[in-house]
Amino acid sequence: MKDLDQTADHSAEHSPGQISGQIAGIDVGGTFTDLVFYDATQARVRLAKVPTTLDNQSRGVLDALDAAEVDAAALDLIVHGTTTTTNAVLERRLCRTGLITTMGFRDVLELGRRTRPQAYGMKGQFRPLIPRDLRLEVPERMLASGAVHTALDEDALRQALRALVAQDCESLVIHFLHAYANPAHELRAAEIAREEWPNGNITLGHALLSESREYERGVTAAVNASVQPLLRRYVERLADRLAERGYTRDLLVMTGNGGMVSARIVAEEAAKTVMSGPASGVMAAAYTGRRAGIPDLLTYDMGGTSTDVAMIRGADPAVSHEIEIEYAMPIHVPMVDVRTVGAGGGSLARIDASGLLQVGPDSAGSVPGPICYGKGGTEPTISDANMLLGRMNPARLNTIQGDVTLADIEAAFAKKLGAPLGLSATGAASAVLRIATAKMADAVRMVSISLGEDPRDFALFAFGGAGPLHACDIARELGVPRVLVPARPGITNALGCIVADLRHDYVTTVNRPLAACDMAEVHAQFAHQIEEGRAAIARERVKIADLRVTHSVDMQFIGQTHLLRVALPGPAPTREDLAELFEQAYFRRFQVALPEIRPALVNVNTSVIGRRPEVDLSALIDAAGRKPTLAEARTGSRAVFFDDWHDTPVYWRDHLPASATLAGPAIVEQMDCTLVLSPGDTATQDADGNLIVTVRAL
């Protein structure tokens, strides 16, 4: 626990746009549960990092409150990011779910898009979320126009419901063909299901995703239903435990789009909480960048097993409606567009069968972990390479257990990597970091260059426990001129829970050639989405500073498969506006104009965002702990390998003067991470305690 009490100058008054109470942001990760407590009345911050209790995540949440000495009864708001649904999907620990669909379409979830798990491979496995014996058909049929072709057979529906109940299904999906165009059959089926189904775990395909593409809509509904009971039980258990401690306010849960919803209703759209953790970190980055005057960011979150990257333009994170978290599992609900690569601190380095050095995606995990953990690990990892090269503090060896020495790490690198490659242990460790840098730089390219953006136009936002260790090297590889390292990189996801806004996204399918669209109908759809969003935010019972509404459309040229998202200036575009904006967006993305092909309007989209009051990020570092001079913030020096060995000063970040300027080589250590500045890099500190690094070019 760390208590950061600030001076009275910061706590005397608050503008109307600032939070005026106590709020706790809690992020549950795979290894640790992080908490940020913010008390605006005293401008005080408390931080906690405790082990995640995987068998019951609510215990870890309560442990974090205890570690930070936070009285739940005094809190005005708790915002919670959870990995419950993400882990359940990735590990296939799902509830038994049944599906009822249109006659002849039970295999849509299995046929998919005729892709392969390995694009150039002959082998691969795919298991649909719902097995075939639990996918049942009933006579009914809607046409794409919304006209009824075959009426719903209600007797067959009741028989199917009873058959699924008899097979101990806990959750139900009702997914009818073209329900996005006319949901009447799904709505009537839901009425009947509520009479027959033993609980409220019923998902309607159109209610979650009102757009065309039966496969994607069906998979999204299947994901939602499969995790719905798990999430419902978890949030109810957590809410009960918090109530026992006197917490009487609403519990909010982070969603994958970077917003949050009340725990009372979050289970109804459980699929939207997938990728909740990565999204919260990106929202914290957007918030921090906006306050720092650096609104265009490429975020880089490096943990123990993987690295997450995302793009933020104008302090607004890129949101995708087409995230595929694993093969044949597209989840078509709005999510912050985060890409992941298998490179983290625990990533294993090895020599493959062809004699080449490989890093990741396999990880040492937390047990036995890297060699430097002293928990029995014997295989070299990225963390071990950083330790051997002096980038991490050798004094922290064996802080967990064991009696590992630098000599042990050096011997492992020399034997397992250096000897086969003809390198010294130092050379092998340096090669490991170079390969890791290249892999992580490629991930950043996926969210920038592949989307038509130049990384050189952005700053790199580095967070996560291992992010600042590699950030300057990655920025140099990409030509990114600046790196922004927030005050508390290791708890950024928890901070995102505090600063994230309320957000609701809506999609409605039109799917017509633009020339044939009724623009009055399009405008009416936008108006309806705005009305729904305003009502949803009003139900959250959370104080907001203002309300923001954004609009976009999904378009394509007639005959194309994939969609392009086009931002709109308002809810009443003309047909000519849409054509021009789409052509401009298409050219920016692909650098080609296709005036001879006519566009189609597929979806209309609205995001309604309730911006929450401001949080003073300068409170994250205790002003009273800062030293008057840089020399006093220095804790010593050690040899660090860059292209050669350098005697490198080491600083404690909490002690840096407010106006500190550092020149590389330098090491900046703090409670939750280490920042490495290479020779030629310079770093300055802003008013919020962010370190802004100007990166030496290659």
Side-chain angles (χ1 to χ4, degrees), residues 600-642:
L601 176 61
V602 181
N603 300 316
V604 299
N605 317 299
T606 296
S607 298
V608 182
I609 303 165
R611 190 177 65 81
R612 294 181 45 237
E614 291 282 319
V615 173
D616 183 7
L617 298 184
S618 67
L620 289 169
I621 294 182
D622 184 2
R626 298 190 183 277
K627 303 297 184 182
T629 66
L630 191 61
E632 293 177 87
R634 181 167 171 172
T635 59
S637 64
R638 62 174 179 262
V640 181
F641 187 87
F642 296 96

Side-chain angles (χ1 to χ4, degrees), residues 75-266:
L75 289 171
D76 295 292
L77 187 64
I78 296 176
V79 183
H80 176 35
T82 177
T83 57
T84 297
T85 53
T86 308
N87 292 344
V89 172
L90 294 175
E91 299 169 13
R92 294 294 182 108
R93 295 184 291 102
L94 304 168
C95 296
R96 189 171 175 84
T97 301
L99 177 142
I100 297 176
T101 189
T102 305
M103 183 68 72
F105 288 85
R106 71 189 295 193
D107 293 324
V108 165
L109 298 188
E110 200 153 352
L111 294 172
R113 292 294 176 193
R114 301 197 302 176
T115 57
R116 289 180 284 184
Q118 300 178 23
Y120 299 101
M122 299 298 292
K123 297 180 180 179
Q125 292 184 334
F126 166 62
R127 289 184 298 123
L129 290 177
I130 303 175
R132 196 170 195 268
D133 65 315
L134 299 181
R135 304 195 303 263
L136 305 183
E137 301 172 338
V138 296
E140 77 84 36
R141 185 72 177 264
M142 286 289 180
L143 300 178
S145 64
V148 177
H149 180 275
T150 303
L152 174 65
D153 188 331
E154 297 188 1
D155 291 334
L157 175 66
R158 291 185 185 275
Q159 292 175 20
L161 288 166
R162 291 165 186 170
L164 292 175
V165 172
Q167 295 195 67
D168 298 321
C169 288
E170 189 177 4
S171 199
L172 172 68
V173 176
I174 298 174
H175 175 52
F176 291 155
L177 192 68
H178 299 309
Y180 66 90
N182 183 354
H185 284 179
E186 279 195 4
L187 292 171
R188 175 56 184 157
E191 293 176 359
I192 296 171
R194 293 187 187 100
E195 300 172 8
E196 302 282 349
W197 204 251
N199 55 52
N201 298 321
I202 301 172
T203 297
L204 305 183
H206 86 277
L208 192 64
L209 181 65
S210 186
E211 68 175 57
S212 57
R213 300 185 183 184
E214 306 305 315
Y215 170 62
E216 286 80 3
R217 186 155 47 88
V219 172
T220 302
V223 169
N224 190 82
S226 298
V227 299
Q228 188 178 64
L230 295 172
L231 183 62
R232 192 187 305 277
R233 284 194 289 269
Y234 170 66
V235 295
E236 288 176 355
R237 182 167 57 241
L238 178 58
D240 290 342
R241 297 290 300 277
L242 290 171
E244 291 172 1
R245 296 191 172 200
Y247 182 69
T248 60
R249 307 296 181 89
D250 211 359
L251 171 66
L252 298 185
V253 180
M254 285 290 303
T255 55
N257 66 358
M260 59 188 78
V261 298
S262 169
R264 292 177 291 106
I265 60 174
V266 69

